[in-house]
Amino acid sequence: MTKEEEKEFKQKIVETIMPIAKNMTENQIRTIIQNVEKTNEDLPAGFAVMLFEQIFINKNNSLNKTLSKK
């Protein structure tokens, strides 16, 4: 993945996944990602792990911003 593709990928996560994932538990997110991975054999190896990491980086950043405002 080029730097530009990586940047676009991260932005798409923020725009499309984070509004839903911010209210989900870690287990709920893992379950969904695992189900998607099982039903989409065309996904590259490591995609699910990368997606999970990006979601939790964003969740932690969001939580830190919220806590720092208090």
Side-chain angles (χ1 to χ4, degrees):
M1 209 185 289
T2 66
K3 291 288 183 188
E4 186 62 33
E5 289 171 331
E6 187 176 328
K7 182 179 177 182
E8 186 176 321
F9 175 71
K10 289 178 180 180
Q11 186 59 39
K12 288 294 182 187
I13 291 171
V14 169
E15 292 172 1
T16 60
I17 297 173
M18 291 313 298
I20 298 164
K22 69 181 181 181
N23 296 316
M24 296 173 71
T25 66
E26 181 177 337
N27 286 335
Q28 290 172 320
I29 294 168
R30 277 188 197 277
T31 300
I32 290 171
I33 291 173
Q34 288 170 347
N35 288 336
V36 169
E37 188 176 39
K38 286 177 189 174
T39 59
N40 292 281
E41 296 174 359
D42 296 337
L43 290 176
F47 179 81
V49 172
M50 179 176 59
L51 179 59
F52 184 78
E53 288 173 351
Q54 288 302 312
I55 291 170
F56 273 86
I57 287 169
N58 282 293
K59 280 185 70 116
N60 285 334
N61 287 344
S62 177
L63 179 60
N64 288 339
K65 286 179 186 177
T66 301
L67 293 175
S68 67
K69 289 180 182 180
K70 291 182 178 183

